[in-house]
Amino acid sequence: MLTNKLENCTISIVNPIDNGTTVDLYIYKKRNTKKKVYFINDSPYIDVDVSIKARIVSTNENIEKLEQSVNSYLEKQISNFLYKTSLDYNSDICSLGKYGVSQFKTNSNWESYNWLENYKNSIFNVNVNCTVISSLLFTEV
């Protein structure tokens, strides 16, 4: 999702109507993920906006509640992933730094900033916008 290479997948989340069950969703990209990098007190502040669509594979009656659950679940998973890679692995494996380089006037300023050293200080703001389609029919994706 972060690198826009996800074509589709199926995920299972806790059913927001019945916590003892799960809901299976076929998800795919609605549009490319938007990424922006700002610098606040020399630390990267990274906005990630993911837009996906999901088709219900198992049944559920409350689409709005399901969309909220999908958004919350994926925001948490993506945030955990980003913090894990930045703090534990000190690695920008999604190449978010390329969205921050434009904030520097010269290449030497960017190089002296030392992105990888500062990337571990990043604050991530992840927003997921999921549209759930209530259908078991897979027509056009």
Side-chain angles (χ1 to χ4, degrees), residues 53-106:
K53 286 189 176 182
R55 291 188 183 263
I56 301 172
V57 178
S58 52
T59 60
N60 192 292
E61 295 125 24
N62 192 328
I63 299 297
E64 188 175 297
K65 207 168 195 181
L66 184 58
E67 285 176 344
Q68 292 170 355
S69 292
V70 171
N71 291 342
S72 176
Y73 173 80
L74 288 175
E75 286 169 0
K76 181 178 178 183
Q77 296 304 314
I78 292 169
S79 290
N80 287 346
F81 168 80
L82 289 169
Y83 280 111
K84 181 89 168 164
T85 59
S86 67
L87 295 172
D88 294 352
Y89 301 120
N90 197 27
S91 177
D92 180 14
I93 65 173
C94 294
S95 301
L96 296 171
K98 70 182 177 184
Y99 300 95
V101 71
S102 65
Q103 302 291 317
F104 292 83
K105 292 184 181 195
T106 66

Side-chain angles (χ1 to χ4, degrees), residues 12 20-21 24 38 42 44 48 55 62 64 76 95 108 114 116-117 119-120 124 131 139:
S12 295
T21 63
D24 298 328
Y38 308 94
D42 235 15
V48 177
R55 291 188 183 263
N62 192 328
E64 188 175 297
K76 181 178 178 183
S95 301
S108 61
N114 193 355
L116 283 181
E117 183 60 34
Y119 182 63
K120 63 185 173 197
F124 298 100
T131 303
T139 53

Side-chain angles (χ1 to χ4, degrees), residues 30-64:
K30 186 175 184 178
R31 61 182 161 268
N32 282 344
T33 297
K34 294 178 184 176
K35 298 158 274 230
K36 293 179 186 172
V37 176
Y38 308 94
F39 295 90
I40 299 172
N41 296 328
D42 235 15
S43 293
Y45 184 86
I46 302 172
D47 281 332
V48 177
D49 288 309
V50 178
S51 292
I52 60 170
K53 286 189 176 182
R55 291 188 183 263
I56 301 172
V57 178
S58 52
T59 60
N60 192 292
E61 295 125 24
N62 192 328
I63 299 297
E64 188 175 297

